Amino acid sequence: MSEQSTDLRETVRERYAAAALKVTQGSVACCGPEPVEVDENFGSTLYATDERDALPAEALAASLGCGNPTAVAELREGERVLDLGSGGGIDVLLSARRVGPTGKAYGLDMTDEMLELALRNAAKAGATNVEFLKGTIEAIPLPANTIDVVISNCVINLSVDKSAVFAETFRVLKPGGRIGVSDVVADDALTPAQRAERGDYVGCIAGALSFAEYRQGLSAAGFTDIEVNPTHSVADGLHSAIVRATKPADATETAGTAATEGACCGVSACCTTDERATAPSTTVAEAKAASGCGCRS
């Protein structure tokens, strides 16, 4: 990763850590959690009233997304769902309710402060079919072919390596699995420089892909049935959009995936503390490096 990309990722991490701390510190004061300041195009107001009423106040206060991916994805009873960049847990908790006790909702975030907040929110909500994971969305710490649906709420635009996000999303989805994402997307006519003029990177503007770039990125990763449809404007030439795509039911394994569930790139228990190389003479690091594994952390 380049120095610039590392700096951008750290800037994003710092911004969301500060947001989590603001909510947490407010929740122990006399007046309850203090919402993170966002305009009307972002945040908990994009959810239905009955959804907001069923969630802890801290989950609503930490909501920074640009849509409602749990509705976009049309979640079903018994499904396994992964939320990329889960923040304070609002979409994980809503997903857990939709998939029911026979399903499970995972949340993935790289920010310790957000993960701590999400765990507290899950406990307050009494959610037992949830699990929060620490990691980046470019290297998802889950085995291949184990997730039915991947959702995300205004997070992919913050990634410094979106092609890796698409490849990793494809890897963890079961054949026939799908994505239902809310994200900020730019008009095709806007150059990266023009996007940056309209807002900063951590504000979900400068790093946004165009409609064409989004479709091309998902297609290159192997997705089909790709839809990128705008819902409302968030800046001049930039929109909140609903993104849907499907991993083909007959998808075959690629270089970064495994032929069996629970393993990847020559490593069993991929991306967990129990990792071991499938070839006794090879180390875990060697197996991952040799195969170009997507989860090298």
Side-chain angles (χ1 to χ4, degrees):
M1 187 184 297
S2 69
E3 183 176 345
Q4 181 183 21
S5 295
T6 301
D7 290 345
L8 277 175
R9 176 179 284 178
E10 179 58 19
T11 300
V12 170
R13 191 203 63 76
E14 289 176 352
R15 189 257 174 140
Y16 286 90
L21 288 174
K22 180 178 182 180
V23 172
T24 301
Q25 291 166 356
S27 68
V28 298
C30 64
C31 302
E34 185 176 356
V36 179
E37 294 180 9
V38 292
D39 65 32
E40 68 275 8
N41 297 311
F42 299 85
S44 62
T45 58
L46 300 174
Y47 295 83
T49 301
D50 62 330
E51 291 177 317
R52 297 199 302 269
D53 290 345
L55 294 171
E58 290 82 359
L60 299 175
S63 177
L64 297 166
C66 58
N68 183 352
T70 60
V72 168
E74 300 176 353
L75 303 179
R76 307 176 189 121
E77 189 85 15
E79 290 188 317
R80 293 164 67 89
V81 184
L82 168 64
D83 180 19
L84 301 180
S86 49
I90 183 170
D91 293 314
V92 174
L93 297 180
L94 289 174
S95 296
R97 293 177 62 208
R98 288 177 181 266
V99 301
T102 60
K104 187 166 184 177
Y106 294 92
L108 173 63
D109 206 281
M110 68 175 180
T111 309
D112 289 329
E113 293 84 354
M114 277 295 185
L115 289 168
E116 291 172 7
L117 177 60
L119 288 169
R120 283 197 293 271
N121 287 333
K124 289 179 180 179
T128 58
N129 58 337
V130 304
E131 183 176 345
F132 290 97
L133 308 169
K134 183 176 180 180
T136 68
I137 62 176
E138 298 87 2
I140 300 172
L142 285 171
N145 308 318
T146 55
I147 299 297
D148 295 295
V149 189
V150 172
I151 64 172
S152 185
N153 197 349
C154 205
V155 172
I156 294 176
N157 68 80
L158 295 170
S159 171
V160 296
D161 188 352
K162 296 174 179 65
S163 62
V165 176
F166 296 146
E168 277 289 88
T169 300
F170 190 88
R171 180 184 68 81
V172 299
L173 279 171
K174 298 175 182 177
R178 64 196 187 278
I179 65 171
V181 168
S182 295
D183 208 5
V184 173
V185 183
D187 286 342
D188 291 336
L190 289 184
T191 66
Q194 290 171 327
R195 298 169 212 175
E197 290 171 356
R198 287 157 169 77
D200 59 15
Y201 201 95
V202 296
C204 301
I205 301 298
L209 294 174
S210 70
F211 285 90
E213 289 167 343
Y214 227 116
R215 295 187 188 97
Q216 290 166 359
L218 289 170
S219 179
F223 285 99
T224 58
D225 304 321
I226 299 166
E227 301 177 9
V228 186
N229 299 312
T231 58
H232 59 272
S233 175
V234 298
D236 182 21
L238 290 112
H239 315 268
S240 174
I242 292 171
V243 181
R244 295 187 178 95
T246 303
K247 180 174 180 176
D250 60 352
T252 56
E253 299 301 329
T254 58
T257 63
T260 59
E261 186 172 303
C264 72
C265 51
V267 179
S268 62
C270 181
C271 302
T272 76
T273 55
D274 296 323
E275 285 182 327
R276 60 188 183 278
T278 55
S281 61
T282 306
T283 67
V284 168
E286 289 170 342
K288 290 184 174 184
S291 62
C293 180
C295 52
R296 301 182 190 179
S297 58

Coordinates of all heavy atoms in Angstrom, one line a residue, residues 124-218:
K124 N -27.5 -4.1 24.4 CA -28.7 -3.3 24.8 C -29.9 -3.8 24.0 O -31.0 -3.8 24.5 CB -28.5 -1.8 24.6 CG -27.5 -1.2 25.6 CD -27.3 0.3 25.3 CE -26.4 0.9 26.3 NZ -26.2 2.4 26.0
A125 N -29.6 -4.2 22.7 CA -30.7 -4.7 21.9 C -31.1 -6.1 22.2 O -32.1 -6.6 21.6 CB -30.3 -4.5 20.4
G126 N -30.3 -6.8 22.9 CA -30.5 -8.2 23.2 C -30.3 -9.1 22.0 O -30.9 -10.2 21.9
A127 N -29.5 -8.7 21.1 CA -29.2 -9.4 19.9 C -28.2 -10.6 20.2 O -27.1 -10.3 20.6 CB -28.7 -8.5 18.8
T128 N -28.6 -11.8 19.9 CA -27.7 -12.9 20.1 C -27.2 -13.6 18.9 O -26.3 -14.4 18.9 CB -28.5 -14.0 20.9 OG1 -29.7 -14.4 20.2 CG2 -28.9 -13.5 22.3
N129 N -27.7 -13.2 17.7 CA -27.3 -13.8 16.4 C -26.4 -12.8 15.7 O -26.5 -12.7 14.5 CB -28.5 -14.2 15.6 CG -29.4 -13.0 15.3 OD1 -29.5 -12.1 16.0 ND2 -30.2 -13.2 14.2
V130 N -25.5 -12.1 16.4 CA -24.6 -11.1 15.8 C -23.2 -11.4 16.2 O -23.0 -12.0 17.3 CB -25.0 -9.6 16.1 CG1 -26.4 -9.3 15.8 CG2 -24.7 -9.4 17.6
E131 N -22.3 -11.0 15.3 CA -20.8 -11.1 15.7 C -20.1 -10.0 15.0 O -20.3 -9.7 13.8 CB -20.3 -12.5 15.2 CG -18.8 -12.7 15.6 CD -18.3 -14.0 15.2 OE1 -19.1 -14.9 14.9 OE2 -17.1 -14.2 15.2
F132 N -19.3 -9.3 15.8 CA -18.5 -8.2 15.2 C -17.0 -8.6 15.1 O -16.4 -9.2 16.0 CB -18.6 -6.9 16.1 CG -20.0 -6.3 16.0 CD1 -20.9 -6.6 17.0 CD2 -20.3 -5.5 15.0 CE1 -22.2 -6.1 16.9 CE2 -21.6 -4.9 14.9 CZ -22.6 -5.2 15.9
L133 N -16.4 -8.3 13.9 CA -15.1 -8.7 13.6 C -14.2 -7.4 13.3 O -14.7 -6.5 12.7 CB -15.1 -9.5 12.3 CG -16.0 -10.7 12.3 CD1 -16.1 -11.3 10.9 CD2 -15.6 -11.8 13.3
K134 N -13.0 -7.5 13.8 CA -12.1 -6.4 13.5 C -11.3 -6.7 12.2 O -10.7 -7.8 12.1 CB -11.1 -6.1 14.6 CG -10.2 -4.9 14.3 CD -9.3 -4.6 15.5 CE -8.4 -3.4 15.1 NZ -7.5 -3.0 16.2
G135 N -11.2 -5.8 11.3 CA -10.5 -6.0 10.1 C -10.8 -4.9 9.0 O -11.7 -4.1 9.3
T136 N -10.2 -5.0 7.9 CA -10.5 -4.1 6.8 C -11.4 -4.8 5.8 O -11.3 -6.0 5.6 CB -9.2 -3.6 6.1 OG1 -8.6 -4.7 5.4 CG2 -8.2 -3.0 7.2
I137 N -12.1 -3.9 5.0 CA -13.0 -4.5 4.0 C -12.2 -4.9 2.8 O -12.8 -5.6 1.9 CB -14.1 -3.5 3.6 CG1 -13.5 -2.2 3.0 CG2 -14.9 -3.2 4.9 CD1 -14.6 -1.2 2.5
E138 N -10.9 -4.6 2.7 CA -10.1 -5.1 1.6 C -9.5 -6.5 1.9 O -8.9 -7.1 1.0 CB -8.9 -4.2 1.4 CG -9.3 -2.8 0.9 CD -9.6 -1.8 2.1 OE1 -9.4 -2.3 3.3 OE2 -10.0 -0.7 1.8
A139 N -9.7 -7.0 3.1 CA -9.2 -8.3 3.6 C -10.1 -8.9 4.6 O -9.8 -8.9 5.8 CB -7.7 -8.2 4.1
I140 N -11.2 -9.4 4.1 CA -12.3 -9.8 5.0 C -11.9 -11.1 5.8 O -11.6 -12.1 5.2 CB -13.6 -10.1 4.2 CG1 -14.0 -8.8 3.5 CG2 -14.7 -10.5 5.1 CD1 -15.2 -9.0 2.5
P141 N -12.0 -11.0 7.1 CA -11.5 -12.2 7.9 C -12.6 -13.3 8.1 O -13.0 -13.7 9.2 CB -11.2 -11.5 9.3 CG -12.2 -10.4 9.4 CD -12.3 -9.9 8.0
L142 N -13.1 -13.8 7.0 CA -14.1 -14.9 6.9 C -13.7 -15.8 5.8 O -13.1 -15.4 4.8 CB -15.5 -14.3 6.7 CG -16.2 -13.6 7.9 CD1 -17.5 -13.0 7.4 CD2 -16.4 -14.6 9.0
P143 N -14.1 -17.1 6.0 CA -13.8 -18.1 4.9 C -14.5 -17.8 3.6 O -15.6 -17.1 3.6 CB -14.2 -19.4 5.5 CG -14.3 -19.2 7.0 CD -14.7 -17.7 7.1
A144 N -14.1 -18.4 2.5 CA -14.8 -18.3 1.3 C -16.1 -19.0 1.3 O -16.3 -20.0 2.0 CB -13.9 -18.8 0.1
N145 N -17.0 -18.5 0.5 CA -18.3 -19.2 0.2 C -19.2 -19.4 1.5 O -19.7 -20.5 1.6 CB -18.1 -20.5 -0.5 CG -17.2 -20.4 -1.7 OD1 -17.4 -19.5 -2.5 ND2 -16.2 -21.3 -1.9
T146 N -19.2 -18.5 2.4 CA -19.9 -18.7 3.6 C -21.0 -17.7 3.9 O -21.8 -17.8 4.8 CB -18.9 -18.6 4.8 OG1 -18.2 -17.4 4.8 CG2 -18.0 -19.8 4.8
I147 N -21.2 -16.6 3.1 CA -22.1 -15.5 3.3 C -23.2 -15.5 2.2 O -22.8 -15.6 1.0 CB -21.3 -14.2 3.4 CG1 -20.3 -14.2 4.5 CG2 -22.3 -13.0 3.5 CD1 -20.9 -14.3 5.9
D148 N -24.4 -15.3 2.6 CA -25.5 -15.2 1.7 C -25.6 -13.8 1.1 O -25.9 -13.6 -0.1 CB -26.8 -15.6 2.3 CG -26.9 -17.0 2.8 OD1 -26.8 -17.9 1.9 OD2 -27.0 -17.3 4.0
V149 N -25.4 -12.8 1.9 CA -25.7 -11.4 1.5 C -24.6 -10.5 2.1 O -24.3 -10.6 3.3 CB -27.0 -10.9 2.0 CG1 -27.3 -9.5 1.3 CG2 -28.1 -11.9 1.6
V150 N -24.0 -9.6 1.3 CA -23.1 -8.6 1.8 C -23.8 -7.3 1.6 O -24.3 -6.9 0.6 CB -21.8 -8.6 1.0 CG1 -20.9 -7.4 1.4 CG2 -21.0 -9.9 1.3
I151 N -23.8 -6.5 2.7 CA -24.4 -5.2 2.7 C -23.3 -4.2 3.1 O -22.3 -4.5 3.6 CB -25.6 -5.0 3.6 CG1 -25.2 -5.2 5.1 CG2 -26.7 -6.0 3.2 CD1 -26.3 -4.9 6.1
S152 N -23.5 -2.9 2.8 CA -22.6 -1.8 3.3 C -23.4 -0.5 3.1 O -24.2 -0.4 2.2 CB -21.3 -1.9 2.4 OG -20.4 -0.9 2.9
N153 N -23.0 0.4 4.0 CA -23.7 1.7 4.0 C -22.7 2.9 3.9 O -22.2 3.3 4.9 CB -24.6 1.8 5.2 CG -25.7 2.9 5.1 OD1 -25.6 3.7 4.2 ND2 -26.6 2.9 6.1
C154 N -22.5 3.3 2.7 CA -21.6 4.5 2.5 C -20.2 4.3 3.0 O -19.6 5.2 3.6 CB -22.3 5.7 3.1 SG -21.8 7.3 2.4
V155 N -19.7 3.1 2.8 CA -18.3 2.8 3.2 C -17.4 2.4 2.1 O -16.2 2.8 2.2 CB -18.4 1.6 4.2 CG1 -17.0 1.1 4.6 CG2 -19.1 2.0 5.5
I156 N -17.8 1.8 1.1 CA -16.9 1.3 0.0 C -16.3 2.5 -0.6 O -15.1 2.5 -1.0 CB -17.7 0.5 -1.1 CG1 -18.2 -0.8 -0.4 CG2 -16.8 0.2 -2.3 CD1 -19.0 -1.7 -1.3
N157 N -17.0 3.7 -0.7 CA -16.3 4.9 -1.3 C -15.1 5.3 -0.4 O -14.3 6.1 -0.9 CB -17.3 6.0 -1.4 CG -17.8 6.5 -0.1 OD1 -17.1 7.3 0.6 ND2 -19.0 6.1 0.4
L158 N -15.0 4.9 0.8 CA -13.9 5.3 1.7 C -12.7 4.4 1.5 O -11.6 4.7 2.0 CB -14.4 5.2 3.1 CG -15.4 6.2 3.6 CD1 -15.9 5.9 5.0 CD2 -14.9 7.7 3.5
S159 N -12.9 3.3 0.8 CA -11.8 2.3 0.7 C -10.7 2.9 -0.2 O -10.9 3.6 -1.2 CB -12.3 1.0 0.1 OG -11.2 0.2 -0.3
V160 N -9.4 2.5 0.1 CA -8.3 3.0 -0.7 C -8.0 1.9 -1.8 O -7.1 2.1 -2.6 CB -7.0 3.2 0.2 CG1 -7.3 4.3 1.1 CG2 -6.7 1.9 1.0
D161 N -8.7 0.8 -1.8 CA -8.5 -0.3 -2.8 C -9.8 -0.9 -3.1 O -10.1 -2.0 -2.6 CB -7.4 -1.3 -2.3 CG -7.0 -2.3 -3.4 OD1 -7.6 -2.3 -4.5 OD2 -6.1 -3.0 -3.1
K162 N -10.6 -0.3 -3.9 CA -12.0 -0.8 -4.1 C -12.0 -2.1 -4.9 O -12.9 -2.9 -4.7 CB -12.8 0.3 -4.8 CG -12.9 1.6 -3.9 CD -13.6 2.7 -4.7 CE -13.8 3.9 -3.8 NZ -12.5 4.5 -3.3
S163 N -11.0 -2.3 -5.8 CA -11.0 -3.6 -6.5 C -10.8 -4.7 -5.5 O -11.3 -5.8 -5.7 CB -9.9 -3.6 -7.5 OG -8.6 -3.4 -7.0
A164 N -10.0 -4.5 -4.5 CA -9.8 -5.6 -3.4 C -11.1 -5.8 -2.7 O -11.4 -6.9 -2.3 CB -8.7 -5.2 -2.5
V165 N -11.9 -4.7 -2.4 CA -13.1 -4.9 -1.7 C -14.1 -5.7 -2.5 O -14.7 -6.7 -2.0 CB -13.8 -3.5 -1.5 CG1 -15.2 -3.7 -0.8 CG2 -12.9 -2.7 -0.6
F166 N -14.2 -5.5 -3.8 CA -15.0 -6.2 -4.7 C -14.6 -7.7 -4.8 O -15.4 -8.6 -4.8 CB -15.1 -5.6 -6.1 CG -15.7 -4.2 -6.1 CD1 -15.2 -3.3 -7.0 CD2 -16.7 -3.9 -5.3 CE1 -15.8 -2.0 -7.1 CE2 -17.3 -2.6 -5.3 CZ -16.8 -1.7 -6.2
A167 N -13.3 -7.9 -4.9 CA -12.8 -9.3 -5.0 C -13.0 -10.1 -3.7 O -13.4 -11.2 -3.7 CB -11.3 -9.3 -5.3
E168 N -12.8 -9.4 -2.6 CA -13.0 -10.1 -1.3 C -14.5 -10.3 -1.0 O -14.9 -11.4 -0.5 CB -12.5 -9.2 -0.1 CG -11.0 -9.4 0.1 CD -10.7 -10.8 0.7 OE1 -10.5 -11.7 -0.1 OE2 -10.7 -10.9 1.9
T169 N -15.4 -9.4 -1.4 CA -16.8 -9.6 -1.3 C -17.3 -10.8 -2.1 O -18.0 -11.7 -1.7 CB -17.6 -8.4 -1.8 OG1 -17.2 -7.2 -1.0 CG2 -19.1 -8.5 -1.7
F170 N -16.7 -10.9 -3.4 CA -17.0 -12.1 -4.2 C -16.6 -13.4 -3.6 O -17.3 -14.4 -3.6 CB -16.4 -11.9 -5.6 CG -16.8 -12.8 -6.6 CD1 -17.9 -12.6 -7.4 CD2 -16.1 -14.0 -6.8 CE1 -18.3 -13.5 -8.4 CE2 -16.5 -14.9 -7.8 CZ -17.6 -14.7 -8.6
R171 N -15.4 -13.3 -3.0 CA -14.8 -14.5 -2.4 C -15.7 -15.1 -1.2 O -15.9 -16.3 -1.2 CB -13.4 -14.2 -1.8 CG -12.7 -15.4 -1.2 CD -11.3 -15.0 -0.6 NE -11.5 -14.2 0.5 CZ -11.8 -14.6 1.8 NH1 -11.9 -15.8 2.0 NH2 -11.9 -13.7 2.8
V172 N -16.1 -14.2 -0.3 CA -16.8 -14.7 0.9 C -18.3 -15.1 0.6 O -18.9 -15.8 1.3 CB -16.8 -13.7 2.0 CG1 -15.4 -13.4 2.4 CG2 -17.5 -12.4 1.7
L173 N -18.8 -14.6 -0.5 CA -20.2 -14.9 -0.9 C -20.3 -16.4 -1.4 O -19.5 -16.8 -2.1 CB -20.7 -14.0 -2.0 CG -21.2 -12.6 -1.5 CD1 -21.5 -11.7 -2.7 CD2 -22.5 -12.7 -0.6
K174 N -21.4 -17.0 -1.0 CA -21.7 -18.3 -1.6 C -22.1 -18.1 -3.0 O -22.6 -17.1 -3.4 CB -22.9 -18.9 -0.8 CG -22.7 -19.2 0.6 CD -24.0 -19.7 1.3 CE -23.8 -20.0 2.8 NZ -25.1 -20.4 3.4
P175 N -21.9 -19.1 -3.9 CA -22.4 -19.1 -5.2 C -23.9 -18.8 -5.2 O -24.7 -19.4 -4.4 CB -22.1 -20.4 -5.8 CG -20.9 -20.9 -5.1 CD -21.1 -20.4 -3.7
G176 N -24.4 -17.8 -5.9 CA -25.8 -17.4 -5.9 C -26.0 -16.3 -4.9 O -27.1 -15.7 -4.8
G177 N -25.0 -15.9 -4.1 CA -25.1 -14.9 -3.1 C -25.2 -13.5 -3.7 O -24.9 -13.4 -4.9
R178 N -25.5 -12.5 -3.0 CA -25.8 -11.2 -3.6 C -25.3 -10.1 -2.7 O -25.0 -10.3 -1.5 CB -27.3 -11.0 -3.8 CG -28.1 -11.0 -2.5 CD -29.6 -11.2 -2.8 NE -30.4 -11.1 -1.6 CZ -30.6 -12.0 -0.7 NH1 -30.0 -13.2 -0.9 NH2 -31.4 -11.8 0.4
I179 N -25.1 -8.9 -3.3 CA -24.8 -7.7 -2.5 C -26.0 -6.7 -2.6 O -26.7 -6.7 -3.6 CB -23.5 -7.0 -2.9 CG1 -23.6 -6.5 -4.4 CG2 -22.3 -8.0 -2.8 CD1 -22.4 -5.6 -4.8
G180 N -26.2 -6.0 -1.5 CA -27.2 -4.9 -1.5 C -26.5 -3.8 -0.7 O -26.5 -3.8 0.5
V181 N -26.0 -2.8 -1.5 CA -25.2 -1.7 -0.9 C -25.8 -0.3 -1.1 O -26.3 -0.1 -2.2 CB -23.8 -1.8 -1.6 CG1 -23.0 -0.6 -1.2 CG2 -23.1 -3.1 -1.1
S182 N -25.7 0.5 -0.1 CA -25.9 1.9 -0.3 C -24.5 2.6 -0.4 O -23.7 2.4 0.5 CB -26.7 2.5 0.8 OG -28.0 2.0 0.8
D183 N -24.3 3.5 -1.4 CA -23.0 4.1 -1.5 C -23.1 5.4 -2.2 O -24.2 5.7 -2.9 CB -22.0 3.2 -2.2 CG -20.6 3.5 -1.8 OD1 -20.3 4.3 -0.8 OD2 -19.7 2.9 -2.3
V184 N -22.1 6.3 -2.1 CA -22.1 7.5 -2.9 C -21.4 7.2 -4.2 O -20.4 6.6 -4.3 CB -21.3 8.6 -2.1 CG1 -21.1 9.9 -3.0 CG2 -22.1 9.0 -0.9
V185 N -22.1 7.7 -5.3 CA -21.6 7.4 -6.7 C -21.6 8.7 -7.4 O -22.6 9.5 -7.3 CB -22.5 6.3 -7.3 CG1 -21.9 6.0 -8.7 CG2 -22.5 5.1 -6.5
A186 N -20.6 8.9 -8.3 CA -20.5 10.2 -9.0 C -21.0 10.0 -10.5 O -20.9 8.9 -11.0 CB -19.0 10.6 -9.1
D187 N -21.4 11.1 -11.0 CA -21.8 11.1 -12.4 C -20.6 10.7 -13.3 O -19.4 11.1 -12.9 CB -22.3 12.5 -12.9 CG -23.7 12.8 -12.4 OD1 -24.4 11.9 -12.0 OD2 -24.0 14.0 -12.3
D188 N -20.8 10.1 -14.4 CA -19.7 9.6 -15.2 C -18.8 10.8 -15.7 O -17.6 10.6 -16.0 CB -20.2 8.7 -16.4 CG -20.7 7.4 -15.9 OD1 -20.3 7.0 -14.8 OD2 -21.6 6.8 -16.6
A189 N -19.4 11.9 -15.9 CA -18.7 13.1 -16.5 C -17.8 13.7 -15.5 O -16.9 14.5 -15.9 CB -19.7 14.1 -17.0
L190 N -17.9 13.4 -14.2 CA -17.0 14.1 -13.2 C -15.7 13.4 -13.1 O -15.6 12.2 -12.9 CB -17.7 14.0 -11.8 CG -18.9 15.0 -11.6 CD1 -19.3 14.9 -10.1 CD2 -18.6 16.4 -12.0
T191 N -14.6 14.1 -13.2 CA -13.3 13.6 -13.1 C -13.0 13.4 -11.6 O -13.6 14.0 -10.7 CB -12.2 14.5 -13.7 OG1 -12.2 15.7 -12.9 CG2 -12.5 14.8 -15.1
P192 N -12.0 12.6 -11.2 CA -11.6 12.5 -9.8 C -11.3 13.9 -9.2 O -11.6 14.1 -8.0 CB -10.3 11.6 -9.8 CG -10.6 10.7 -11.0 CD -11.2 11.6 -12.0
A193 N -10.7 14.8 -9.9 CA -10.4 16.1 -9.4 C -11.6 16.9 -9.1 O -11.7 17.6 -8.1 CB -9.5 16.8 -10.4
Q194 N -12.6 16.7 -10.0 CA -13.9 17.4 -9.8 C -14.6 16.9 -8.6 O -15.3 17.6 -7.9 CB -14.7 17.4 -11.1 CG -14.2 18.2 -12.2 CD -14.9 17.9 -13.5 OE1 -15.3 16.8 -13.8 NE2 -15.0 19.0 -14.3
R195 N -14.5 15.6 -8.4 CA -15.2 15.0 -7.2 C -14.5 15.5 -5.9 O -15.2 15.8 -5.0 CB -15.0 13.4 -7.3 CG -15.7 12.8 -8.4 CD -15.4 11.3 -8.6 NE -15.4 11.0 -10.0 CZ -15.0 9.8 -10.5 NH1 -14.6 8.8 -9.7 NH2 -15.0 9.5 -11.8
A196 N -13.2 15.6 -5.9 CA -12.5 16.2 -4.8 C -12.9 17.6 -4.5 O -12.9 18.0 -3.3 CB -11.0 16.0 -5.0
E197 N -13.2 18.4 -5.5 CA -13.6 19.8 -5.3 C -14.9 19.9 -4.6 O -15.2 20.9 -4.0 CB -13.7 20.5 -6.7 CG -12.4 20.7 -7.4 CD -12.6 21.2 -8.9 OE1 -13.8 21.3 -9.3 OE2 -11.6 21.5 -9.5
R198 N -15.8 18.8 -4.7 CA -17.1 18.9 -4.1 C -17.2 18.4 -2.7 O -18.2 18.5 -2.0 CB -18.0 18.1 -5.0 CG -18.4 18.8 -6.3 CD -18.8 17.8 -7.4 NE -19.3 18.5 -8.6 CZ -18.6 19.1 -9.5 NH1 -17.3 19.2 -9.3 NH2 -19.1 19.7 -10.5
G199 N -16.1 17.8 -2.2 CA -16.1 17.3 -0.8 C -14.8 16.5 -0.5 O -14.1 16.1 -1.5
D200 N -14.5 16.3 0.7 CA -13.3 15.6 1.1 C -13.5 14.1 1.1 O -14.6 13.5 0.9 CB -12.7 16.1 2.4 CG -13.6 15.9 3.6 OD1 -14.6 15.1 3.4 OD2 -13.4 16.5 4.6
Y201 N -12.4 13.4 1.3 CA -12.4 11.9 1.2 C -13.2 11.3 2.4 O -14.0 10.4 2.2 CB -10.9 11.4 1.3 CG -10.8 10.0 0.7 CD1 -10.5 9.8 -0.6 CD2 -11.0 8.9 1.5 CE1 -10.3 8.5 -1.1 CE2 -10.9 7.6 1.0 CZ -10.5 7.4 -0.3 OH -10.4 6.1 -0.8
V202 N -12.9 11.8 3.6 CA -13.6 11.2 4.8 C -15.1 11.6 4.8 O -15.9 11.0 5.5 CB -13.0 11.6 6.1 CG1 -11.6 11.1 6.2 CG2 -13.0 13.1 6.3
G203 N -15.5 12.6 4.0 CA -16.9 13.0 3.9 C -17.6 12.2 2.8 O -18.7 12.6 2.4
C204 N -17.0 11.2 2.3 CA -17.7 10.2 1.4 C -17.8 10.8 0.0 O -18.7 10.3 -0.8 CB -19.0 9.8 1.9 SG -18.9 8.9 3.5
I205 N -17.1 11.8 -0.4 CA -17.3 12.5 -1.7 C -16.1 12.2 -2.6 O -16.2 11.7 -3.7 CB -17.5 14.0 -1.5 CG1 -18.8 14.2 -0.7 CG2 -17.6 14.6 -2.9 CD1 -20.0 13.7 -1.2
A206 N -14.9 12.6 -2.2 CA -13.7 12.6 -3.1 C -13.4 11.2 -3.5 O -12.9 11.0 -4.6 CB -12.5 13.2 -2.4
G207 N -13.7 10.2 -2.7 CA -13.3 8.8 -3.1 C -14.4 8.0 -3.8 O -14.2 6.8 -4.1
A208 N -15.5 8.7 -4.2 CA -16.6 8.0 -4.8 C -16.2 7.5 -6.2 O -15.6 8.3 -7.0 CB -17.8 8.9 -4.8
L209 N -16.7 6.3 -6.6 CA -16.5 5.9 -7.9 C -17.7 6.5 -8.8 O -18.7 6.8 -8.3 CB -16.7 4.3 -8.0 CG -15.6 3.5 -7.3 CD1 -16.0 2.0 -7.3 CD2 -14.2 3.7 -8.0
S210 N -17.4 6.5 -10.1 CA -18.5 6.9 -11.0 C -19.4 5.7 -11.2 O -19.1 4.6 -10.9 CB -18.0 7.4 -12.3 OG -17.4 6.3 -13.1
F211 N -20.6 5.9 -11.8 CA -21.5 4.8 -12.1 C -20.8 3.8 -13.0 O -20.9 2.6 -12.7 CB -22.7 5.4 -12.9 CG -23.7 6.1 -12.0 CD1 -23.6 7.5 -11.8 CD2 -24.7 5.4 -11.3 CE1 -24.5 8.2 -10.9 CE2 -25.6 6.1 -10.5 CZ -25.5 7.5 -10.3
A212 N -20.1 4.2 -14.0 CA -19.4 3.3 -14.9 C -18.3 2.5 -14.2 O -18.1 1.3 -14.4 CB -18.9 4.0 -16.1
E213 N -17.6 3.2 -13.4 CA -16.5 2.6 -12.6 C -17.0 1.6 -11.6 O -16.4 0.5 -11.5 CB -15.7 3.7 -11.9 CG -14.8 4.6 -12.8 CD -14.3 5.8 -12.1 OE1 -14.8 6.2 -11.0 OE2 -13.4 6.4 -12.6
Y214 N -18.1 1.8 -11.0 CA -18.7 0.9 -10.1 C -19.1 -0.4 -10.8 O -18.8 -1.5 -10.4 CB -19.9 1.5 -9.4 CG -20.0 1.3 -7.9 CD1 -19.9 2.3 -7.0 CD2 -20.1 0.0 -7.4 CE1 -20.0 2.1 -5.7 CE2 -20.1 -0.2 -6.0 CZ -20.1 0.9 -5.2 OH -20.1 0.7 -3.8
R215 N -19.8 -0.2 -12.0 CA -20.2 -1.4 -12.7 C -19.0 -2.2 -13.2 O -19.0 -3.4 -13.2 CB -21.1 -1.0 -13.9 CG -22.4 -0.3 -13.5 CD -23.3 -0.1 -14.7 NE -24.5 0.7 -14.4 CZ -24.6 2.0 -14.6 NH1 -23.6 2.7 -15.1 NH2 -25.7 2.6 -14.3
Q216 N -18.0 -1.5 -13.7 CA -16.8 -2.1 -14.2 C -16.0 -2.9 -13.1 O -15.6 -4.0 -13.3 CB -15.9 -1.1 -14.9 CG -16.4 -0.5 -16.2 CD -15.7 0.7 -16.6 OE1 -14.7 1.2 -15.9 NE2 -16.1 1.3 -17.7
G217 N -16.0 -2.3 -11.9 CA -15.3 -2.9 -10.8 C -16.0 -4.2 -10.4 O -15.3 -5.2 -10.1
L218 N -17.3 -4.2 -10.3 CA -18.1 -5.4 -9.9 C -18.0 -6.4 -11.0 O -17.8 -7.6 -10.6 CB -19.5 -5.0 -9.6 CG -19.8 -4.2 -8.4 CD1 -21.2 -3.6 -8.4 CD2 -19.5 -5.0 -7.1

